[in-house]
Amino acid sequence: MFFAEETLRTCDTLKRERRMSSRALVLGGGGPVGIAWESGLIAGLAESGIDLSGADFIVGTSAGSVVGAQIAMGRTPAALMEPFIGKGELTPPPSESMSTPPDLSQLVAKLMESYAGVRPNEEVCREIGAWAFETSVVSEEAFVASFGHALAGLPEERWPERRFACTAVDAVSGKFVSWDNNSGVPLVRAIASSCAVPGIASPISINGRRYMDGGMRSATNADLTKGYDVVVVVSISSQASPEVFRRPLERELQALRDSGSRVGIVTPDAESIEAFGPNLMDRRRCPAAAASGMRQGKAGLGTLLDLWG
């Protein structure tokens, strides 16, 4: 009888305990298509009773920085979907070349070396940065300007009051950085640096240095949330992705679990992957990706509901 009284707690008690837990949300990279899918997923999950927008700390890398900043600024999950269903304005592409797959084979080869641990990440990132300066097709000014619509016209220096961080890599030194509310960096420029894919966008100038996509270190950088009781990671990568590209996330998840965090992971299902198409930079795929994310979220995830509350 004592065992039953201690273990069979009421739903209200469990909900109170979950509210007292510190919760973090990690949103990974994935280009414009990833922005659309994450937006739909979060909106769909909210409809199913899992409101990830209530996180105490949000970490975004590349695409995830765009979605994460909007959530941190108070945009509702439903509002995230509006640009993809004709009720809002999609962020205009900085270049028409985004509708055709760029040749990123050299970038992929170098990332495989880094992700597999063949060479130190900073060393590889220095080489990627040098390559980015030579090959990127979208100017820094055009790329930064393309993010203004997503941030609803707020002054570019303003950060959300909620704790939010986005990631980038110094294109010259190869060092990883995390911009947050206390960094003193303009928000739009921080997000642009997190999204500046080498070979596409020129590295972004911040405080006299140049920065590129935080995905050069990891597509998720989930280890930044160590110390939080509950962490939910949204990753564009799935079990269908090559094993070498899953390694950084697997290491991060293990580090979080070792630190005592309870961790949930959400990845695209087969239908969502089909909606993405072969090019995550192709904005023409965004409406279908958002709709598939919404469908996947509305289906609900029972384990995530138990974790997040």
Side-chain angles (χ1 to χ4, degrees):
M1 177 62 72
F2 177 79
F3 177 81
E5 289 176 349
E6 289 296 306
T7 58
L8 299 180
R9 294 169 294 183
T10 67
C11 291
D12 287 343
T13 300
L14 290 172
K15 288 178 180 178
R16 283 195 297 271
E17 290 180 355
R18 284 195 288 259
R19 283 196 296 268
M20 292 173 63
S21 298
S22 58
R23 301 183 298 178
L25 172 63
V26 175
L27 298 168
V33 173
I35 293 174
W37 179 77
E38 289 180 356
S39 298
L41 178 79
I42 290 168
L45 285 171
E47 286 195 17
S48 72
I50 305 167
D51 188 0
L52 298 181
S53 69
D56 302 300
F57 179 36
I58 300 168
V59 173
T61 292
S62 200
S65 71
V66 178
V67 180
Q70 293 179 78
I71 295 172
M73 289 190 299
R75 184 160 292 173
T76 65
L80 291 176
M81 270 293 289
E82 290 179 354
F84 307 106
I85 55 176
K87 294 184 179 180
E89 187 174 1
L90 282 169
T91 303
S95 168
E96 291 303 318
S97 65
M98 294 300 99
S99 61
T100 57
D103 182 7
L104 300 180
S105 55
Q106 186 170 341
L107 172 63
V108 172
K110 288 190 177 296
L111 284 178
M112 288 180 71
E113 288 186 273
S114 172
Y115 286 1
V118 174
R119 290 198 290 147
N121 179 254
E122 285 188 12
E123 178 182 313
V124 174
C125 283
R126 286 194 292 271
E127 295 175 6
I128 292 174
W131 178 77
F133 284 118
E134 295 176 358
T135 61
S136 298
V137 297
V138 180
S139 72
E140 178 181 357
E141 293 76 15
F143 197 68
V144 172
S146 71
F147 290 92
H149 292 272
L151 299 180
L154 288 173
E156 72 165 23
E157 292 82 6
R158 177 175 171 180
W159 279 73
E161 294 182 5
R162 183 117 51 102
R163 191 180 178 208
F164 166 69
C166 60
T167 65
V169 171
D170 189 307
V172 176
S173 70
K175 291 185 179 297
F176 174 71
V177 298
S178 172
W179 310 120
D180 63 19
N181 312 57
N182 300 314
S183 296
V185 171
L187 177 62
V188 170
R189 206 157 269 275
I191 292 172
S193 72
S194 188
C195 295
V197 178
I200 295 178
S202 296
I204 305 302
S205 301
I206 296 177
N207 296 335
R209 301 195 66 84
R210 303 285 292 279
Y211 295 90
M212 59 186 179
D213 196 313
M216 300 306 101
R217 189 244 191 184
S218 161
T220 46
N221 297 297
D223 51 324
L224 292 180
T225 61
K226 280 198 296 187
Y228 281 79
D229 299 318
V230 174
V231 180
V232 168
V233 181
V234 177
S235 172
I236 298 296
S237 298
S238 68
Q239 289 301 311
S241 303
E243 188 271 340
V244 68
F245 287 108
R246 300 198 307 268
R247 288 185 190 177
L249 176 57
E250 290 170 355
R251 290 192 291 264
E252 292 159 16
L253 294 177
Q254 190 59 52
L256 290 173
R257 293 176 181 125
D258 290 345
S259 72
S261 298
R262 291 180 291 144
V263 183
I265 173 79
V266 184
T267 60
D269 60 15
E271 189 173 333
S272 288
I273 292 172
E274 183 176 355
F276 294 170
N279 175 18
L280 294 176
M281 304 303 294
D282 188 351
R283 294 168 188 269
R284 295 172 299 182
R285 292 277 186 166
C286 287
S292 196
M294 170 72 87
R295 170 199 53 77
Q296 193 173 340
K298 287 174 71 173
L301 296 170
T303 54
L304 195 59
L305 181 60
D306 292 339
L307 181 70
W308 194 260

